[in-house]
Amino acid sequence: MSPERPESEELVLAFLAEAGDEFVSGEAISDKLGLTRAAVWKHVEALRGQGYRIDAVPARGYRLAGVPDRLTPLELRPLLNTHDVGRVVHWYEEIGSTNDRARELADEGALAGEVVVAEAQTAGRGRRGRTWASPPRKNLYFSVVLRPELPPSRAPELTLVASVALCDALRQAGVEAGIKWPNDLLVGDRKIAGILTELAADPDRVEWVVLGAGVNVNARRDDFPPEVRDEATSVLIERGQAAPRALFAAACFTALEGWLDRHAEEGFAPVREAWRARSVTLGREVTVRVDGRELTGTAEDIDATGALLVRTAAGTERFLSGDVTLLRAR
Ligand code: BTN
């Protein structure tokens, strides 16, 4: 669980959380958890120091009156109904990159669905060696370990699975996001979320996939570095209202698991349909840049492998990877 918080502190918090609006006596907590009353008090103080609001009333006991806006397992677990995604949450106040940590954990045998979540990243990575702005406690930065039964050639499908899932979670939160191929989530011209997929594979089998996602939730314009301010947006900017990050994270994990299950059971076809329906790329004039090459044409479709098909005067080109710029509105 959270590496920074000692176990009995978590247990005291869980006990208070379970009681909801009710007071619980210090005696009940100490009996149940096998702690002295002084230890219970010490843990309550430590929790308060971390932003938990805990009422203490003589003869009634303690009551949890407010939780901080954080993404620890304790905040997330009660909101999750998933069977795999988020069953183990590795939480960090600050980390270099959740993808790097998830890759280490995958190499050490982490199970499918284990998630690394951080409140801030100091070396958040985007696609193609870019950095991902990761201001503390504003947004969502997470990476999920997957162990799909797929040949490596089909692994890119998972990136599209993730983009459909994040798009659904954003729409549920009231933000009309669309997908730019392969996996950027946009609102209008501005990026609200990105996905970085990494994998380890044998020639015929994927060993693990790490799906990393950054979603701009409560960042304001000034929270982004100047160079991305005009290109980035967030749920807060779009809705004019902050979103509870733990609830939003739970919605992302739930949507992700739903689409991963569907992909595992039915293959890529339903994902392809869903991706097309949410796409802001298809039908548009686009420029695709890949390996120093640049090509402009009309984005026609994605094929049965998720590759982008672009029609030019010279014929149709198929792209398995690349950077897309949308040129003209539909
Ligand atoms: C992109 O659009 O370029 C992909 C951005 C992916 C960012 C996320 S944030 C969580 C995870 N950890 C990282 O270092 N990157 C991904």
Side-chain angles (χ1 to χ4, degrees):
M1 293 194 33
S2 112
E4 275 81 13
R5 192 191 287 146
E7 197 181 329
S8 34
E9 200 170 296
E10 274 181 21
L11 293 174
V12 170
L13 184 55
F15 200 86
L16 291 171
E18 205 161 299
D21 290 342
E22 303 291 315
F23 277 91
V24 282
S25 69
E27 195 181 355
I29 303 174
S30 59
D31 283 356
K32 176 84 181 182
L33 302 181
L35 300 168
T36 63
R37 298 283 292 275
V40 171
W41 174 248
K42 200 182 89 207
H43 291 315
V44 165
E45 282 298 286
L47 289 165
R48 283 174 167 162
Q50 293 177 62
Y52 292 89
R53 284 196 297 117
I54 300 172
D55 297 336
V57 175
R60 296 187 75 188
Y62 302 105
R63 178 173 66 178
L64 186 60
V67 297
D69 177 31
R70 289 206 307 195
L71 302 169
T72 66
L74 213 66
E75 274 83 59
L76 289 177
R77 212 177 288 126
L79 305 172
L80 283 174
N81 223 348
T82 48
H83 52 80
D84 274 359
V85 177
R87 65 179 162 181
V88 176
V89 174
H90 304 265
W91 173 85
Y92 295 89
E93 181 70 52
E94 183 182 280
I95 200 167
S97 153
T98 57
N99 260 43
D100 292 347
R101 182 67 191 124
R103 291 172 60 138
E104 282 170 10
L105 289 165
D107 276 334
E108 291 162 12
L111 299 175
E114 291 194 26
V115 176
V116 179
V117 180
E119 306 289 350
Q121 296 185 119
T122 53
R125 295 189 285 115
R127 290 170 61 230
R128 305 185 168 271
R130 298 188 186 107
T131 56
W132 184 257
S134 309
R137 303 249 177 138
K138 296 283 175 183
N139 298 330
L140 192 53
Y141 319 112
F142 70 88
S143 303
V144 188
V145 175
L146 303 175
R147 297 195 179 273
E149 305 266 332
L150 284 180
S153 59
R154 289 192 55 201
E157 294 174 16
L158 295 172
T159 301
L160 303 194
V161 168
S163 61
V164 168
L166 288 191
C167 190
D168 285 358
L170 282 162
R171 289 183 180 187
Q172 268 170 36
V175 175
E176 262 318 287
I179 310 170
K180 185 180 79 145
W181 188 88
N183 55 7
D184 286 349
L185 279 299
L186 302 187
V187 184
D189 291 343
R190 291 172 188 248
K191 186 153 161 174
I192 194 161
I195 296 159
L196 179 66
T197 312
E198 299 179 298
L199 81 159
D202 298 333
D204 56 352
R205 193 185 128 262
V206 170
E207 191 193 334
W208 52 252
V209 169
V210 165
L211 265 182
V215 188
N216 300 329
V217 183
N218 290 331
R220 296 176 188 279
R221 189 180 148 79
D222 288 356
D223 293 318
F224 293 112
E227 61 277 15
V228 298
R229 268 178 207 161
D230 291 337
E231 296 157 18
T233 189
S234 70
V235 175
L236 171 65
I237 292 170
E238 294 303 320
R239 295 184 50 216
Q241 196 184 332
R245 287 184 310 139
L247 269 178
F248 185 72
C252 289
F253 295 176
T254 305
L256 188 57
E257 182 162 283
W259 277 108
L260 285 167
D261 285 353
R262 185 127 188 237
H263 180 250
E265 284 156 20
E266 298 174 44
F268 186 57
V271 179
R272 182 184 180 194
E273 267 324 295
W275 190 96
R276 281 174 169 143
R278 291 157 184 75
S279 158
V280 293
T281 310
L282 301 183
R284 296 274 298 260
E285 288 294 298
V286 297
T287 295
V288 187
R289 291 182 186 83
V290 63
D291 302 331
R293 250 181 93 216
E294 190 176 303
L295 182 140
T296 296
T298 307
E300 282 204 304
D301 203 353
I302 53 167
D303 70 11
T305 69
L308 182 67
L309 304 175
V310 178
R311 184 168 35 84
T312 68
T316 298
E317 288 253 2
R318 179 171 176 265
F319 292 94
L320 284 163
S321 65
D323 249 355
V324 168
T325 309
L326 304 175
L327 296 181
R328 276 202 301 269
R330 266 177 285 201

